[in-house]
Amino acid sequence: EAGVVQSPRYKIIEKKQPVAFWCNPISGHNTLYWYLQNLGQGPELLIRYENEEAVDDSQLPKDRFSAERLKGVDSTLKIQPAELGDSAVYLCASREPGLANNEQFFGPGTRLTVL
Amino acid sequence: AQSVSQHNHHVILSEAASLELGCNYSYGGTVNLFWYVQYPGQHLQLLLKYFSGDPLVKGIKGFEAEFIKSKFSFNLRKPSVQWSDTAEYFCAVNNYGQNFVFGPGTRLSVLP
């Protein structure tokens, strides 16, 4: 079974440029998470989707960040414009339906460097 | 709001030493508890999880954790570490369908 797929793995951009990250969750997983992980810290939730609905985007800085999951499968996270402080690893995770299977599965992440 | 604290930022051990990593959470209700591990250059992987029942849970690679409800703790243990256990360890909590909250992580370095 394929795991959570993310691309690109690495991205280097200059500040004020836009950037987008893509995530394809494990097949059948209707819950999708985007996290931000700074160096030496734990993942911090940005947004959670249940199918195509963003059920929690309270931690998403909406002035520059946006996300979509139009068909309830893959998802895109965008930053426009990027700032120096956005340099971090952006993680995607997915979870299958049902509270009995509450485990998340993580992708490899996209490491963003903003110069 | 939920929060998770991990007692140690960086732990250095020699091979065969015993390991205990502390984790405390703040949430008064029923929770699910997890330990994730991130080996160098790899993505986060589940080490073990607690949903209910026996508070002593066993995970992969000889790790175990004990849930002590009265102390809001979920400490990770391993009787004898190996060099290959060098990684970052994250404790996380989820209160049934809500979001996961992660601790800041503990970096474990095992010296050969």
Side-chain angles (χ1 to χ4, degrees):
Chain A
E1 179 183 296
V4 177
V5 178
Q6 290 188 248
S7 69
R9 292 293 310 277
Y10 304 91
K11 188 74 176 178
I12 301 174
I13 61 172
E14 293 187 345
K15 63 180 180 182
K16 301 185 181 179
Q17 294 300 306
V19 65
F21 315 123
W22 178 79
C23 171
N24 196 26
I26 294 172
S27 177
H29 285 197
N30 67 332
T31 305
L32 184 148
Y33 305 81
W34 281 104
Y35 290 92
L36 177 153
Q37 186 178 22
N38 286 305
L39 188 65
Q41 298 182 26
E44 299 170 32
L45 181 71
L46 289 172
I47 188 168
R48 173 169 64 102
Y49 281 95
E50 298 288 346
N51 299 304
E52 65 277 6
E53 182 183 0
V55 295
D56 188 344
D57 63 357
S58 58
Q59 303 302 312
L60 191 71
K62 298 181 185 63
D63 56 335
R64 297 185 299 108
F65 286 65
S66 63
E68 60 183 20
R69 194 185 184 198
L70 296 177
K71 297 182 179 179
V73 181
D74 60 335
S75 175
T76 302
L77 177 69
K78 297 178 182 178
I79 308 175
Q80 182 170 9
E83 297 179 351
L84 294 175
D86 296 331
S87 294
V89 176
Y90 291 83
L91 297 169
C92 180
S94 69
R95 181 172 63 87
E96 62 183 353
L99 296 178
N101 294 297
N102 222 5
E103 176 184 348
Q104 294 182 99
F105 293 84
F106 282 86
T110 297
R111 182 176 296 277
L112 173 67
T113 301
V114 182
L115 303 176
Chain B
Q2 299 173 62
S3 67
V4 178
S5 61
Q6 293 184 236
H7 304 171
N8 308 98
H9 181 64
H10 188 192
V11 173
I12 303 174
L13 296 173
S14 297
E15 276 194 314
S18 64
L19 170 71
E20 181 161 1
L21 301 182
C23 171
N24 286 90
Y25 65 94
S26 66
Y27 183 73
T30 304
V31 294
N32 297 330
L33 296 157
F34 306 80
W35 275 97
Y36 281 85
V37 61
Q38 190 167 29
Y39 297 104
Q42 297 188 27
H43 59 275
L44 280 158
Q45 305 170 39
L46 183 69
L47 205 52
L48 48 78
K49 58 188 177 184
Y50 171 80
F51 288 168
S52 64
D54 189 344
L56 185 62
V57 293
K58 296 191 182 300
I60 61 172
K61 304 186 180 185
F63 286 90
E64 65 179 30
E66 184 176 12
F67 170 52
I68 303 180
K69 188 175 182 179
S70 61
K71 294 184 178 181
F72 298 90
S73 70
F74 190 56
N75 291 355
L76 181 71
R77 299 194 292 249
K78 186 172 183 178
S80 176
V81 295
Q82 301 173 320
W83 177 77
S84 58
D85 293 324
T86 295
E88 188 122 23
Y89 293 81
F90 295 93
C91 182
V93 62
N94 172 293
N95 61 331
Y96 279 93
Q98 300 303 314
N99 296 325
F100 289 75
V101 177
F102 285 81
T106 296
R107 184 155 64 101
L108 173 64
S109 299
V110 181
L111 307 177

